[in-house]
Amino acid sequence: MMWKFMLGLLSLVTIVQGKERLVLVENGKTDYVIQADANDPVVQKAAAVISTFTKESTGVDFAIQAKVDGTHAIILERSPITNASPEDSYSIEAVGKNIYIKGSGKGVLFAAYRYVRDVIGGRKWYTGKENTDVPKCTALYVDADLKIFSKPNFQFREVYFPVELDQEYMDWYGLHNLEDRWGDWGHTFSKILPPSIYFKDHPEYYALYDGKRQPIQLCLSNEEVFNHTVAYFKKRMLENPTAIYWSIAANDDIGSCTCDLCQAIDKREGGAQGSLIHFVNRVAGKFPDKKFTTLAYLESANAPAHLRVADNVSVILSNIDAFRKNDISSEYSAATFRRQLGAWKSKSKHVFVWDYLTQFTNYLAPFPIQGTMQKSMQYLKGQGVEGVFLQGGGATYSDMAELNAYILANLAWDTDGRSEEQLTDEFIEGYYGKAAPFIKKYLDLRRNHLPGASSALSIYGNPIDNRKDFLSPEAMDQYSTLLEKAEIASEGNPLLESRIRRVGLGLDYTYLQQARFYGPHQHGIFEQDGEHWVVRPNVSRKVTQFIKDAKRLGVIELAEGGASPDAYAKEWSEIFNAGVRTNKASQASIKLKNPFDPSFPANGLETLSDSVPGYMDYSYNWLLWNGEPMDITFDFEQEKHIDTIELNFLKDARHWIFSPKEVRISVSQNGEDFQDVLLRKLESQEEDYTVEKVRYRALINDRVKVIRVYAEPLAKLPEWRYHPKRNALIACDEIWIN
């Protein structure tokens, strides 16, 4: 492997130049011991790391002692946090025959893993012992003038991928976990004053919104809300005295208070960020020795016009609206984020960034961000950002999670060290072995197939969006060929085979999702066998193998809050059992009175007659109408015998999609005189976030020429899902005429 070759080359150069070296291990022996404070658990853990990995590599371990006299020693010490040596920084220095390893915070432990990387040549690619490589060495040396000092570029560094399940990985790269740093994290208003406890008796604690008090946010000008918040944090700080940060942030929704007092501040400051920062500053002022955070997100994304953020408060700004084809310093859609970041830096001493690095609606879908990560991280560092929350798929596997986590983990510590290309090459060669050239080609190819600058790589996209460019059937065939070659190269090595298969999961998932879109057409689920429609054998095989491998290889859910592999298998079983229904609607001329929402074009107007049903994802195989009625006519030109008319509407309140207020189906034998065959009116919309289809069916059993289907959306959103800038949507997948 390349990194082993480089280590050997460095040793050779040292010998040739005659540079003096300290001999740590040679010929199965060592003169060194480790000195470590027996009462310091971090120092003891660092000592164990050095001793354990040295023994694994050479067969020789170092004795660990509290005090060493008159012998060669590796001396581990905790050092104080200073401006020059911030938290987690460390140094490794040879002084005489001794080696001093010092670090502030957990820095001495991070330095121990630096020893494993640089002296032994160890590499940790991913979670678990099986993904940790430790070379076998007969001797270990360090230069007699060794002197290293390293400090992180960011105070807070979280890489939110499955690597968080492995504490050794976290320590290896000097990463943090929000649960270890925050007493309360993220959206906290409902934690501070739970509506289930307080709203009934004290509605005044909550936001005046849309003309009445609602338990969606807090009224931040209410003095009792302030007093309760102060009391809440006093109690929580006693319960968790080691926490570093405490979050005061709005719930994950809009709905800021519009009462006179809150509005007075918000109007002066340019938005809901005004009353939020005013409130957070007041609370933080009661705890001058504590650190607080708040979220610049949705209504509070912009910086206040006049207020400055208190010095013991850090603002966490989200770039959720940015597409990810390019790095955030150059991506056109990130311009608003860049403006907001600059404004917050002018108003706040401390700014963190919440960054998004996967497709949350389809974790496994290919998401080619490779080549953009270093520039993004360098941009954040250059802007003075102090902390980064780099969100991948969390505990579940997402596209290229191992590689992305490795690159981000290294860059979170040092944005300007090794280049992203160097890190990528090192990882691919070390992790994929003989299959490395094919994986590298696969990653390069999918980047090269990305469409022009005007097209997005959205964190809320899906495999259908790119079916005509980088996820086209032709491109997918090229990727599959490369991964087949990678599989052949890894044959006989179960570990490598599993690593290659993880990459292949993304292609299989994309194939299956696109097959749903194509239905009974080319590249779809079904094919015709004589007079019957049957499941394509390849689709059936892929589903079975995909589910089996997904469960084996760490896939917990397929989207944020989405289906598990078992639930996905159940969806496919239902699709196979339903089969293909012919639809006479395809024989008619179809006309729309009001256009559907162009943001979700599906298969255009044919979506309503192509025999491809929608499933539980509104983003494809559904046509949506935004605040306007769905008014459609099917003209057969000549009378045709019709038995039934059937259609489904999607109900997905989380995305403001509701059952229609009214559904009316009318038929005509001459195209002029219509008779209603179905009329349904919805009396009310109860609070319900269940995603489901609502079915309507009319029995005709007659000859008709023209059919009209009319569906009217809710005139206004229900109170429990109110939004000032949204309309009620209706979504229809197919109008079955039989």
Side-chain angles (χ1 to χ4, degrees):
M1 297 179 184
M2 181 62 70
W3 54 270
K4 289 184 179 178
F5 170 75
M6 292 301 296
L7 285 169
L9 181 61
L10 290 172
S11 297
L12 180 62
V13 171
T14 300
I15 293 171
V16 170
Q17 293 178 344
K19 199 169 187 178
E20 185 182 357
R21 298 179 301 169
L22 303 181
V23 181
L24 300 181
V25 176
E26 195 172 57
N27 299 324
K29 296 180 181 179
T30 183
D31 294 329
Y32 278 79
V33 297
I34 296 175
Q35 177 178 304
D37 185 349
N39 297 315
D40 190 322
V42 175
V43 171
Q44 282 292 306
K45 187 174 182 180
V49 166
I50 292 173
S51 183
T52 299
F53 278 97
T54 299
K55 184 174 183 178
E56 186 174 346
S57 175
T58 67
V60 177
D61 60 350
F62 300 123
I64 301 173
Q65 301 176 9
K67 186 67 178 175
V68 177
D69 293 312
T71 187
H72 300 161
I74 300 173
I75 300 170
L76 305 183
E77 297 178 354
R78 197 93 82 100
S79 55
I81 297 173
T82 65
N83 289 334
S85 299
E87 184 180 10
D88 295 339
S89 61
Y90 60 80
S91 63
I92 305 175
E93 184 175 7
V95 179
K97 298 297 182 180
N98 292 337
I99 299 172
Y100 288 86
I101 298 180
K102 302 178 181 180
S104 60
K106 291 181 70 175
V108 66
L109 177 59
F110 301 156
Y113 284 108
R114 176 72 177 267
Y115 165 93
V116 176
R117 294 197 299 274
D118 287 11
V119 178
I120 298 176
R123 292 293 184 272
K124 189 166 184 66
W125 306 118
Y126 197 51
T127 63
K129 183 71 174 175
E130 71 277 12
N131 293 311
T132 307
D133 285 347
V134 181
K136 298 300 180 183
C137 302
T138 58
L140 296 178
Y141 311 97
V142 297
D143 291 340
D145 61 353
L146 173 69
K147 190 171 185 179
I148 294 172
F149 176 74
S150 185
K151 63 181 180 179
N153 287 163
F154 301 98
Q155 290 179 16
F156 176 71
R157 307 169 297 282
E158 176 145 20
V159 176
Y160 194 56
F161 286 81
V163 294
E164 289 210 324
L165 303 175
D166 185 343
Q167 188 58 50
E168 182 179 82
Y169 190 103
M170 303 287 283
D171 294 335
W172 192 292
Y173 296 105
L175 299 173
H176 296 131
N177 188 306
L178 62 90
E179 284 86 357
D180 295 335
R181 311 284 284 185
W182 266 264
D184 280 309
W185 160 261
H187 308 281
T188 55
F189 278 7
S190 287
K191 295 179 184 178
I192 295 168
L193 280 164
S196 60
I197 297 174
Y198 294 98
F199 182 68
K200 182 179 179 180
D201 294 331
H202 294 283
E204 71 276 10
Y205 291 175
Y206 299 89
L208 179 67
Y209 194 69
D210 193 28
K212 66 179 182 178
R213 296 286 175 178
Q214 299 195 51
I216 44 179
Q217 304 291 359
L218 297 179
C219 176
L220 299 179
S221 61
N222 185 295
E223 198 65 19
E224 284 304 307
V225 170
F226 171 75
N227 292 335
H228 187 97
T229 302
V230 171
Y232 170 85
F233 282 112
K234 283 182 178 178
K235 180 175 181 293
R236 292 285 291 121
M237 289 171 183
L238 289 174
E239 294 170 347
N240 191 355
T242 61
I244 298 172
Y245 298 106
W246 298 91
S247 176
I248 311 174
N251 296 324
D252 191 5
D253 204 344
I254 60 168
S256 57
C257 186
T258 60
C259 76
D260 290 344
L261 292 176
C262 287
Q263 278 295 288
I265 301 174
D266 290 348
K267 287 179 180 178
R268 183 177 72 244
E269 299 297 336
Q273 66 272 19
S275 53
L276 175 65
I277 295 303
H278 180 267
F279 182 80
V280 172
N281 283 350
R282 284 190 70 198
V283 176
K286 293 291 185 178
F287 305 91
D289 59 335
K290 299 293 184 181
K291 295 181 180 180
F292 289 87
T293 63
T294 193
L295 297 177
Y297 177 67
L298 296 179
E299 291 182 311
S300 61
N302 292 310
H306 307 288
L307 278 171
R308 282 197 58 82
V309 180
D311 285 351
N312 63 331
V313 175
S314 298
V315 174
I316 303 176
L317 176 63
S318 157
N319 61 15
I320 195 168
D321 294 325
F323 298 129
R324 300 315 301 241
K325 182 186 175 184
N326 302 302
D327 64 273
I328 57 176
S329 68
S330 63
E331 170 61 47
Y332 177 79
S333 62
T336 297
F337 165 77
R338 294 192 291 269
R339 174 186 59 77
Q340 291 168 340
L341 179 58
W344 278 111
K345 281 299 298 177
S346 71
K347 299 294 183 180
S348 178
K349 185 176 180 180
H350 310 289
V351 175
F352 292 4
V353 164
W354 188 325
D355 197 8
Y356 302 86
L357 295 140
T358 193
Q359 191 170 92
F360 294 94
T361 42
N362 297 276
Y363 281 140
L364 293 177
F367 198 67
I369 60 171
Q370 287 74 37
T372 69
M373 290 178 272
Q374 185 166 34
K375 290 180 180 178
S376 291
M377 297 291 283
Q378 288 173 332
Y379 171 76
L380 296 179
K381 177 193 172 186
Q383 294 299 306
V385 171
E386 295 183 356
V388 287
F389 179 69
L390 306 169
Q391 186 173 2
T396 194
Y397 186 77
S398 55
D399 175 61
M400 300 307 299
E402 308 102 315
L403 171 62
N404 292 343
Y406 183 80
I407 291 171
L408 292 167
N410 280 278
L411 295 177
W413 185 275
D414 185 0
T415 61
D416 301 313
R418 288 176 293 168
S419 70
E420 183 173 345
E421 184 177 5
Q422 290 173 321
L423 291 168
T424 301
D425 289 345
E426 177 186 59
F427 181 88
I428 291 174
E429 290 173 17
Y431 190 67
Y432 294 110
K434 293 180 180 180
F438 307 109
I439 300 299
K440 184 67 161 55
K441 179 66 175 175
Y442 163 66
L443 295 176
D444 290 343
L445 194 61
R446 63 187 203 168
R447 276 294 291 180
N448 292 337
H449 278 323
L450 281 174
S454 61
S455 296
L457 192 59
S458 171
I459 65 172
Y460 293 120
N462 64 67
I464 301 306
D465 294 343
N466 299 103
R467 68 188 184 277
K468 295 182 180 179
D469 42 72
F470 91 96
L471 294 179
S472 68
E474 295 76 20
M476 292 281 288
D477 284 344
Q478 294 178 43
Y479 306 151
S480 295
T481 299
L482 287 169
L483 293 193
E484 286 169 6
K485 292 179 179 179
E487 288 173 353
I488 293 170
S490 65
E491 195 170 346
N493 185 326
L495 185 59
L496 280 185
E497 288 175 347
S498 290
R499 292 171 177 174
I500 303 302
R501 183 67 192 112
R502 266 206 190 94
V503 180
L505 285 176
L507 294 190
D508 283 355
Y509 176 78
T510 299
Y511 174 90
L512 293 173
Q513 291 300 96
Q514 289 186 348
R516 292 185 177 193
F517 175 81
Y518 293 118
H521 308 292
Q522 186 182 15
H523 311 302
I525 302 170
F526 302 99
E527 63 183 0
Q528 206 156 11
D529 182 10
E531 296 181 359
H532 303 285
W533 287 95
V534 296
V535 176
R536 295 179 193 270
N538 191 46
V539 174
S540 180
R541 285 195 300 269
K542 275 192 183 296
V543 169
T544 301
Q545 192 64 49
F546 173 80
I547 300 302
K548 178 182 176 182
D549 291 341
K551 293 165 69 173
R552 178 173 62 90
L553 296 172
V555 177
I556 299 170
E557 59 183 11
L558 297 169
E560 187 176 38
S564 67
D566 283 335
Y568 192 63
K570 184 180 178 183
E571 289 179 14
W572 275 103
S573 178
E574 293 171 351
I575 291 169
F576 291 158
N577 290 335
V580 175
R581 295 172 59 184
T582 57
N583 191 354
K584 290 182 180 177
S586 63
Q587 303 170 21
S589 171
I590 308 175
K591 294 182 180 179
L592 292 181
K593 184 173 183 181
N594 300 311
F596 54 82
D597 188 334
S599 302
F600 304 97
N603 196 25
L605 195 54
E606 291 183 18
T607 304
L608 302 174
S609 61
D610 60 5
S611 295
V612 182
Y615 302 105
M616 296 307 172
D617 183 347
Y618 70 92
S619 58
Y620 60 95
N621 286 9
W622 293 89
L623 291 185
L624 280 68
W625 280 263
N626 187 352
E628 291 186 307
M630 179 184 85
D631 195 343
I632 302 170
T633 57
F634 296 85
D635 191 336
F636 290 99
E637 296 185 0
Q638 296 180 353
E639 288 186 13
K640 186 177 290 289
H641 186 272
I642 304 298
D643 288 322
T644 60
I645 302 170
E646 184 180 322
L647 67 162
N648 296 306
F649 289 96
L650 186 65
K651 191 169 75 170
D652 183 359
R654 184 168 173 261
H655 294 102
W656 292 278
I657 301 171
F658 298 91
S659 298
K661 176 184 176 183
E662 177 182 316
V663 176
R664 183 189 299 267
I665 300 176
S666 308
V667 298
S668 173
Q669 293 178 330
N670 58 17
E672 297 179 2
D673 303 311
F674 283 85
Q675 176 184 358
D676 289 346
V677 292
L678 182 143
L679 177 60
R680 298 275 182 84
K681 294 188 177 182
L682 190 68
E683 298 301 327
S684 63
Q685 285 276 9
E686 301 297 328
E687 184 168 358
D688 182 7
Y689 290 91
T690 304
V691 179
E692 61 183 355
K693 293 183 180 181
V694 180
R695 181 184 178 209
Y696 297 84
R697 187 171 186 268
L699 180 64
I700 310 299
N701 192 25
D702 200 356
R703 296 182 66 81
V704 299
K705 180 178 181 292
V706 180
I707 298 170
R708 182 189 181 200
V709 180
Y710 175 87
E712 184 178 341
L714 298 177
K716 59 181 294 188
L717 290 168
E719 293 179 354
W720 50 272
R721 199 65 184 111
Y722 177 76
H723 192 292
K725 297 180 180 180
R726 289 187 177 271
N727 299 311
L729 296 163
I730 53 175
C732 184
D733 62 339
E734 186 87 0
I735 298 177
W736 303 94
I737 301 175
N738 296 300

